[in-house]
Amino acid sequence: LQFYMAGDYVGALLRVRGINKGGMFGVPAKGRNFDVACINLYRFEGDRISDLWMHWDAYSLVGDLGALLIPVQ
């Protein structure tokens, strides 16, 4: 987890890791591990978050879940 701050903005680089125990994207649970990189950008107004932008590596997640027709390399 890393944070970057500039003015009213805070960026967070993080990883989400877990085990697929429930269906996702139409793929039944297979008990597979996943490890996904994420980037969040927050804008603050005073002490409250006023905006949030999130980006995550959906391609890697789908690959980790075994839902890709072409394997992730």
Side-chain angles (χ1 to χ4, degrees):
L1 180 62
Q2 297 176 348
F3 291 99
Y4 301 91
M5 295 181 281
D8 294 338
Y9 294 89
V10 174
L13 302 175
L14 57 133
R15 298 196 78 77
V16 177
R17 296 179 177 126
I19 299 172
N20 179 17
K21 294 185 176 182
M24 185 180 284
F25 305 120
V27 178
K30 297 179 183 178
R32 294 178 68 150
N33 293 328
F34 62 88
D35 181 0
V36 180
C38 304
I39 300 170
N40 292 351
L41 179 62
Y42 307 89
R43 185 171 71 84
F44 284 82
E45 288 182 3
D47 62 349
R48 298 193 182 261
I49 296 172
S50 59
D51 293 292
L52 166 63
W53 297 270
M54 297 170 48
H55 177 76
W56 50 283
D57 186 356
Y59 186 79
S60 289
L61 175 60
V62 175
D64 287 350
L65 298 179
L68 283 179
L69 298 177
I70 301 169
V72 175
Q73 299 198 15

